[in-house]
Amino acid sequence: RISAGLPRFHQYTKQTSLHNFLYYSDMLLITLSMEFISQLSEWGYIGLFIASFLAGSILPFSSEIVLGVLLLAKYDPWGCVWAASLGNWLGGASCYYIGRLGKTEWINKYLRIKEDKIIKTQHFLEGKGALLGFFSFVPGIGDVFVVALGLMRANQWGVLVSMFIGKFLRYYMVVIGIKYLTQWFPSLSL
């Protein structure tokens, strides 16, 4: 009877160990990403450019946090908008050109966008033109739009210009939002 209960105890121990491992690995990842964000914030405009490039390309990264930290540290809002917009635009352009290469295996492997999602997006984008690159700033679907436009060989100048306008307006609106937040909550200002 005692040995009959051991496998369950062993299974419980395995589950608890796995749970603890996942919890602590998540905490480590959060700590490392916060440290990375802190380092990027210390680099000023260059750090914001790098954060925005990463956010606009293959990594799920929040450049808005770095932008907010720099604005709270009294960096020039226009300098922040330009640095963030250019970095994010170049990250998006890299996704467009990866799509333009036409290798769906690479898109699936490196960008982690499934082929069926790309096909659905291509059907949606057909006939709508390169101006939909404007919506590349939308989380979740923006990267898929840009990759699909690349696969469809949409007019590259139309995609790149509309993509830059969308990203610029997004960061401009974030700056305005942070400005209003600091007015409503003065304790946020450094």
Side-chain angles (χ1 to χ4, degrees), residues 95-104 107 115 118-119 122 144-154:
C95 287
Y96 172 79
Y97 286 111
I98 288 173
R100 198 165 171 95
L101 290 174
K103 302 249 184 207
T104 53
I107 294 168
E115 190 172 352
I118 293 171
I119 291 170
Q122 281 180 309
V144 180
F145 271 22
V146 173
V147 170
L149 287 168
L151 274 170
M152 295 168 63
R153 305 233 186 260

Side-chain angles (χ1 to χ4, degrees), residues 3 10 27 40 54 63 68 74 78 95 107 116 121 124 145 155 157-158 167 183:
S3 62
H10 183 66
M27 294 306 290
L40 288 174
L54 294 174
S63 59
K74 305 296 187 214
W78 283 110
C95 287
I107 294 168
D116 61 330
T121 305
F124 172 75
F145 271 22
N155 179 326
W157 294 113
K167 290 176 181 289
Q183 287 177 352

